[in-house]
Amino acid sequence: MVNQATKAPLLAVNNLNIRFPSVHGAVHAVRDVSFTMGREKVAIVGESGSGKSQTGRAILGLSPGQVSADSLIFDGIDLQRLSSKAYREIRGKRISMVMQDPKYSLNPVMSIGKQMIEACQIQMKVSKKQALARCMQMLEAVRIRQPQRVFKAYPHEVSGGMGQRIMIAMMLLSSPDLLIADEPTSALDVTVQLQILAIMDDLVQDTGMGLILISHDLPLVASFCDRILVMYAGRIVEELDASKLDQAQHPYTRGLLSCLPSHATKGQPLATLERQDSWLDEALENRGLRV
Amino acid sequence: MTDHQEQAVIAVKDLAIYFGRGEHQVKAVDQVSFAIPPRQSFGLVGESGSGKSTILRALAGLDHVDQGQLLLDGEPLQIKRTKAFYKKVQMVFQDPYASLHPRHTVDKILAEPLAIHGFKDIEQRIIKVMDQVALPHKFRFRYPHQLSGGQRQRVAIARALILEPEILLLDEPTSALDVSIQAEVLNLLNRLRAELSLTYVLVSHDLAVVSYMCERVAVMQQGKLVELLQVDQDGKTYPKQAYTKQLNLASQGYDRARIEQFIDHD
Amino acid sequence: MTEFKAWLLAENPDSRAQATLGRSYLAWLRFYRNPLAMIGLVIVVALILMALFAPYIAPYGMTSGLTGNELALQRFQPPSAAHWFGTDGQANDVFSRIVIGSRITLLIVAIVIFTAPILGFVIGTVSGYFGGWVDGVLMRLTDIFLAFPKLVLALALAAAMGRGLESAIFAIAVTSWPAYARLARAETLTIRNTDYLAAAKLQGASHWRLITGHIMPLCLSSLIVRVTLDMAGIILTAAGLGFLGLGAQPPIPEWGAMIAEGRDYILSYWWLATFPGLAIFTVALGFNLLGDGLRDVLDPKSGA
Ligand SMILES: Nc1ncnc2c1ncn2[C@@H]1O[C@H](COP(=O)(O)OP(=O)(O)OP(=O)(O)O)[C@@H](O)[C@H]1O
Ligand SMILES: Nc1ncnc2c1ncn2[C@@H]1O[C@H](COP(=O)(O)OP(=O)(O)OP(=O)(O)O)[C@@H](O)[C@H]1O
Ligand SMILES: [Mg+2]
Ligand SMILES: [Mg+2]
């Protein structure tokens, strides 16, 4: 399962660009994003609208925009060359994504159990009974109390955090090689959050899964991941070792750190971020791309 | 004690809310009591699925009550809420992507409550509330999908404020937002509370947010209120219960060894 | 013109009207770029124009009024410069009858549009919104109507009420509302638990306001698409009833009835049945293409 013989990276993204054409002119949502990763935990952080989710979706071939890249290679497979049928074979089985907004991703008029079993059968081609057992096992793994009840419930009958855990359980059903988790724990209390991250951590350690964790919780990401990519306005402006977050250079990263309420004094307003246009150009200079 | 209860703008007494029947019945809220004096910011934290949102929805009249009482200014709330109630109590939902009608412009979203309550000076009020939440006027005729998450949440807050309520129920108002926008929204909420003498009930799972925003915090677990904490001047709390201590530990970041020691407090 | 366009597409409109117009214009642009949808639109608009100006377009009257020798000479003329689509057994000009018959087709369409979908829409949204026993009662009622095969119920009604256009239209309307009620209810169910509906309730909005102002606008687009797509079927059903002799009665130039008349001569006088058939085919196709185009434009998932 683990590809140790070849030292090739699990995922190599080279100059990924995503544009959304519109009557107001094209929106360039992701600009020249390049990174490689092995079977490790990589975090993508950055503000709302900086292109984190779109990057993740593009890897799955699900971006609604115009995607172009010099190369997009997953475990030796050129993703750009895949037929849509071959992509479907990989998606869900080898690459999974936990989408932001769990309640949007679940069908509001179908019970949770039915949706999970359906997903399970599509991904793993098992009997209904095996699927049921596997689903129950995953619901327990993500620490849902009374999985029997939740199994029969409809999406509006579970709390925000339970919805998120259900999505995670669904994506882990088939033990993927690469998991893209888009703010998977933003609605969870801290204890459960850590327990869920621990499950993912186990998968990375034991089965050699690669994990891309999209988040805006900097301290959490710093303590959990191996590397951090900081995105701003569609670009990667900084790439850091997780342990060196406090040594971040880019003013944007430093600004993000100063916004945290845990660093504020009660009664004083929180620092907010003053964005500067020059950050865009600096990002280009740093990577030697400026013409 | 009775004196304290009389002053409270919101009092919850032995509240119990159940869902479902038989073996799958959930006690979403189980014998919870607390009281909130005027102009206080009261935090609700706790386990996911512990009934925090359910309490807010019950206060707002969106969920049923099985047992206990909800008091507003010392008066028990009737099942059918009056218009006067909605003028006094408003709610901001967790997810700014789901709480705005996709086919209504910001203008329409803000004008509707005014129309329902028969206000005449709709124009001025919309302008005023947009200024209050620092939303530029150019966004007035945009649709929600043309706004960023932070801007949407500001629209949601503006909608809640436009009837000039005294109490805001805030259900994780910033958990879908990134830290820089969270900082803006929290600053805004603090400023509004000072300016308009509001009372807040704030649900959050981020202990840092709650201790920054609130004077008192209730910790919930499995429908029960585990502990009521006072937040001191420096934003510190001194929990006594094991579950709360564990929550505090967990908020210090990912540490494998620590997680192994977590226990399920059943 | 370019200024006007810029005004329409402004990212920060200054007024309610500008925002609405801008949104409609964007939808129109998307529709305009879809050639098949445009063909559908052209056909439907042509049908409407033809019906409006039928007396001016039709070269002859609905009936020729000829008798005796004249009739014998003029009947069953093949298509020619004088009679583009030929003449029938009563020496009536087929082209004129088709043009005038478009009014009947349009009448059927208009009456059905203003009854069945609206009834179904109201029943469906109310049922989905309130749930509980209201839903139970309304949906059982819907089930009952849904259980009847459409054409059979239409046949029974037409037979009971007497032959004629009115009973055909009534039969069609009565049999088609349940499908719309189902559709509207299904859409309402996905909306009723959303936060924005809860938020509106918290503003003190009445049930009526919630249904008409919040739920209906969201269900409307899928309803419009569905109705447009169904129009083809409705025209065909009306033609079918006409064909079976239960709809419009001769000499009313209903297209289905015209085919029925031509059926006996199909081998010797092919034009009698062929041209009304083509007319039905074209209009049904037009509504179908239009419906497909509208689906792309109005689908809430397509952004805008
Ligand atoms: N369907 C679309 N059409 C047009 N623009 C889009 C579309 N989807 C996304 N965008 C734009 O692409 C940019 C990147 O979006 P993306 O969802 O990746 O942001 P994000 O970093 O995930 O933000 P968040 O933290 O809010 O989830 C945004 O500016 C957004 O407006
Ligand atoms: N309409 C409903 N029908 C059935 N069960 C429900 C319903 N609403 C809530 N519940 C249950 O009540 C419990 C409490 O849910 P609630 O939404 O209050 O949790 P919460 O504390 O807000 O959690 P989170 O932090 O994850 O949002 C959950 O177990 C949930 O499944
Ligand atoms: Mg995102
Ligand atoms: Mg909640």
Side-chain angles (χ1 to χ4, degrees):
Chain A
M1 173 140 196
V2 187
N3 220 346
Q4 272 151 342
T6 57
K7 274 295 245 180
L10 179 64
L11 178 73
V13 175
N14 205 347
N15 280 332
L16 175 71
N17 278 285
I18 302 174
R19 289 186 184 80
F20 290 98
S22 85
V23 279
H24 306 295
V27 177
H28 203 160
V30 173
R31 304 164 189 238
D32 297 329
V33 162
S34 306
F35 65 95
T36 55
M37 64 176 289
R39 298 175 182 273
E40 55 176 340
K41 293 168 285 184
V42 175
I44 304 183
V45 298
E47 71 182 335
S48 178
S50 57
K52 308 182 294 290
S53 302
Q54 289 304 329
T55 305
R57 283 172 157 264
I59 296 167
L60 272 163
L62 286 178
S63 173
Q66 290 173 351
V67 179
S68 62
D70 289 354
S71 65
L72 261 183
I73 308 221
F74 164 73
D75 202 11
I77 305 167
D78 186 348
L79 293 177
Q80 287 175 298
R81 293 253 178 85
L82 284 184
S83 67
S84 54
K85 182 161 177 288
Y87 227 133
R88 250 183 319 215
E89 284 292 306
I90 286 189
R91 201 185 293 144
K93 268 181 223 140
R94 301 205 55 203
I95 312 181
S96 278
M97 179 161 178
V98 179
M99 300 280 179
Q100 212 172 353
D101 267 326
K103 292 225 169 162
Y104 265 172
S105 318
L106 289 169
N107 181 346
V109 290
M110 195 173 178
S111 77
I112 284 162
K114 215 167 165 192
Q115 298 186 49
M116 286 191 78
I117 289 198
E118 210 166 78
C120 194
Q121 285 186 309
I122 292 173
Q123 287 169 22
M124 316 210 299
K125 310 225 158 45
V126 290
S127 75
K128 194 152 182 194
K129 210 162 159 204
Q130 285 168 304
L132 181 74
R134 176 82 182 140
C135 292
M136 282 297 169
Q137 187 194 348
M138 282 321 297
L139 282 181
E140 271 165 37
V142 293
R143 315 229 161 223
I144 292 215
R145 291 174 201 270
Q146 296 181 296
Q148 295 283 355
R149 172 178 75 89
V150 172
F151 204 69
K152 291 205 186 82
Y154 286 85
H156 74 271
E157 294 176 337
V158 299
S159 77
M162 288 158 81
Q164 246 176 4
R165 281 179 281 167
I166 289 163
M167 285 310 291
I168 295 170
M170 269 167 94
M171 291 308 135
L172 293 178
L173 282 171
S174 63
S175 334
D177 287 319
L178 175 63
L179 179 68
I180 305 170
D182 195 352
E183 306 196 7
T185 58
S186 64
L188 295 179
D189 69 273
V190 275
T191 329
V192 176
Q193 181 174 54
L194 296 193
Q195 287 169 329
I196 299 278
L197 291 180
I199 299 173
M200 297 190 187
D201 197 14
D202 284 342
L203 286 171
V204 174
Q205 310 288 343
D206 303 345
T207 68
M209 179 180 83
L211 174 69
I212 299 181
L213 181 72
I214 300 175
S215 173
H216 38 237
D217 191 339
L218 284 169
L220 179 75
V221 151
S223 59
F224 176 68
C225 290
D226 304 316
R227 278 190 302 140
I228 302 179
L229 309 174
V230 185
M231 284 189 75
Y232 178 74
R235 286 202 173 81
I236 294 182
V237 292
E238 194 158 27
E239 200 174 326
L240 290 160
D241 273 348
S243 53
K244 300 199 181 110
L245 180 66
D246 46 353
Q247 297 162 28
Q249 295 298 314
H250 200 276
Y252 172 67
T253 321
R254 304 198 63 79
L256 278 183
L257 283 170
S258 69
C259 292
L260 293 170
S262 49
H263 294 179
T265 8
K266 208 171 156 75
Q268 302 285 317
L270 295 166
T272 51
L273 201 61
E274 297 291 333
R275 292 164 186 79
Q276 278 151 26
D277 292 339
S278 61
W279 291 352
L280 281 174
D281 303 333
E282 278 169 36
L284 292 181
E285 270 165 13
N286 285 350
R287 314 182 110 234
L289 290 169
R290 192 82 194 265
V291 274
Chain B
M1 184 67 201
T2 46
D3 194 13
H4 186 77
Q5 295 255 319
E6 254 157 14
Q7 289 174 8
V9 274
I10 291 182
V12 172
K13 278 192 197 161
D14 303 323
L15 179 70
I17 299 174
Y18 309 136
F19 290 108
R21 284 213 185 82
E23 56 165 337
H24 286 325
Q25 187 181 56
V26 230
K27 294 186 174 172
V29 180
D30 193 4
Q31 304 297 326
V32 170
S33 306
F34 58 82
I36 308 172
R39 288 183 295 285
Q40 194 178 57
S41 173
F42 184 84
L44 266 176
V45 299
E47 197 183 37
S48 160
S50 62
K52 307 179 296 286
S53 301
T54 307
I55 291 181
L56 284 203
R57 290 174 64 88
L59 276 170
L62 292 170
D63 264 342
H64 67 278
V65 169
D66 284 303
Q67 272 171 45
Q69 259 190 329
L70 300 170
L71 305 167
L72 182 72
D73 290 329
E75 297 285 322
L77 282 171
Q78 302 305 313
I79 294 178
K80 181 100 184 67
R81 302 286 197 267
T82 57
K83 271 194 184 174
F85 171 83
Y86 293 126
K87 239 196 128 263
K88 194 158 183 178
V89 183
Q90 280 294 323
M91 180 157 168
V92 176
F93 292 83
Q94 168 171 3
D95 185 352
Y97 292 87
S99 68
L100 303 179
H101 195 286
R103 296 285 169 108
H104 289 177
T105 57
V106 174
D107 175 67
K108 177 149 187 188
I109 290 168
L110 296 180
E112 178 151 54
L114 296 174
I116 294 171
H117 290 265
F119 283 94
K120 291 282 177 302
D121 48 349
I122 290 183
E123 255 331 279
Q124 291 94 305
R125 278 177 187 262
I126 290 180
I127 302 280
K128 184 173 146 210
V129 82
M130 287 183 76
D131 287 339
Q132 275 175 344
V133 300
L135 197 65
H137 292 187
K138 62 178 184 184
F139 293 137
R140 181 164 165 196
F141 296 100
R142 283 206 192 177
Y143 287 90
H145 71 268
Q146 294 169 311
L147 302 176
S148 76
Q151 289 162 349
R152 286 181 204 220
Q153 198 59 305
R154 269 182 267 176
V155 174
I157 294 174
R159 170 176 61 190
L161 284 177
I162 201 160
L163 294 172
E164 300 181 346
E166 291 158 33
I167 301 162
L168 274 192
L169 309 173
L170 303 157
D171 192 359
E172 313 210 23
T174 58
S175 75
L177 306 176
D178 68 82
V179 279
S180 63
I181 295 167
Q182 164 171 295
E184 287 170 27
V185 171
L186 293 184
N187 284 343
L188 168 71
L189 287 172
N190 268 337
R191 202 190 78 223
L192 291 171
R193 178 153 80 102
E195 281 175 14
L196 308 172
S197 313
L198 300 171
T199 306
Y200 287 165
V201 186
L202 174 73
V203 171
S204 176
H205 57 263
D206 189 334
L207 291 178
V209 169
V210 172
S211 41
Y212 173 72
M213 296 288 292
C214 301
E215 283 98 67
R216 263 188 333 144
V217 180
V219 183
M220 300 216 23
Q221 202 221 355
Q222 279 201 286
K224 291 205 175 64
L225 202 157
V226 182
E227 193 168 12
L228 261 175
L229 296 169
Q230 208 73 34
V231 185
D232 73 6
Q233 288 295 313
D234 309 319
K236 287 212 168 49
T237 52
Y238 301 94
K240 296 195 184 61
Q241 299 292 328
Y243 177 71
T244 321
K245 285 184 182 159
Q246 179 171 310
L247 216 55
N248 260 345
L249 272 182
S251 67
Q252 289 166 13
Y254 186 83
D255 178 346
R256 199 57 211 246
R258 211 187 284 145
I259 296 169
E260 301 302 342
Q261 289 161 15
F262 283 174
I263 38 171
D264 281 341
H265 298 264
D266 281 323
Chain C
M1 194 59 205
T2 45
E3 239 169 68
F4 182 60
K5 253 189 208 163
W7 180 82
L8 278 176
L9 294 176
E11 235 177 305
N12 302 306
D14 300 317
S15 70
R16 225 157 287 172
Q18 189 183 359
T20 322
L21 282 177
R23 200 179 149 86
S24 319
Y25 180 63
L26 277 181
W28 165 247
L29 277 185
R30 209 153 351 115
F31 188 85
Y32 183 73
R33 292 195 190 118
N34 182 343
L36 284 178
M38 283 306 284
I39 294 179
L41 183 69
V42 167
I43 293 176
V44 171
V45 168
L47 173 74
I48 294 172
L49 290 178
M50 186 154 98
L52 278 180
F53 299 106
Y56 306 100
I57 299 173
Y60 303 88
M62 195 166 89
T63 50
S64 63
L66 297 180
T67 47
N69 228 357
E70 284 282 312
L71 177 64
L73 276 176
Q74 293 287 323
R75 63 196 296 204
F76 297 131
Q77 295 283 319
S80 65
H83 299 283
W84 292 355
F85 292 173
T87 62
D88 65 8
Q90 298 302 316
N92 305 323
D93 179 53
V94 174
F95 177 68
S96 302
R97 281 175 68 79
I98 286 178
V99 170
I100 296 169
S102 68
R103 290 189 150 185
I104 294 164
T105 304
L106 206 65
L107 183 77
I108 297 172
V109 166
I111 294 180
V112 172
I113 282 184
F114 285 106
T115 52
I118 293 179
L119 183 70
F121 193 42
V122 172
I123 289 182
T125 45
V126 166
S127 168
Y129 173 80
F130 285 106
W133 66 267
V134 179
D135 187 37
V137 170
L138 289 176
M139 278 305 115
R140 286 305 79 72
L141 189 72
T142 315
D143 284 343
I144 293 173
F145 276 90
L146 220 50
F148 283 109
K150 210 169 178 166
L151 202 62
V152 172
L153 187 65
L155 279 173
L157 274 170
M161 290 176 48
R163 303 156 166 226
L165 197 57
E166 305 77 28
S167 57
I169 293 176
F170 182 75
I172 292 170
V174 161
T175 48
S176 45
W177 71 264
Y180 303 122
R182 276 296 169 100
L183 179 80
R185 176 174 176 270
E187 290 260 322
T188 308
L189 285 184
T190 66
I191 302 170
R192 66 181 277 195
N193 292 311
T194 54
D195 284 354
Y196 53 80
L197 217 63
K201 276 184 203 154
L202 281 187
Q203 311 289 340
S206 59
H207 294 313
W208 176 246
R209 183 183 278 271
L210 288 174
I211 292 178
T212 55
H214 293 253
I215 292 180
M216 284 191 171
L218 284 175
C219 304
L220 193 62
S221 41
S222 54
L223 186 85
I224 291 178
V225 171
R226 180 65 178 275
V227 170
T228 321
L229 288 173
D230 279 358
M231 269 312 130
I234 285 167
I235 291 169
L236 290 175
T237 312
L241 287 175
F243 181 80
L244 294 172
L246 293 168
Q249 297 301 308
I252 298 176
E254 200 272 325
W255 294 347
M258 286 169 72
I259 300 181
E261 286 167 44
R263 153 183 60 170
D264 301 335
Y265 313 106
I266 191 86
L267 291 178
S268 28
Y269 312 116
W270 57 269
W271 56 91
L272 290 188
T274 307
F275 287 110
L278 276 178
I280 293 171
F281 169 77
T282 314
V283 172
L285 182 74
F287 273 108
N288 251 328
L289 293 177
L290 182 68
D292 273 335
L294 283 177
R295 172 160 50 208
D296 296 341
V297 173
L298 294 176
D299 185 359
K301 278 165 221 97
S302 65

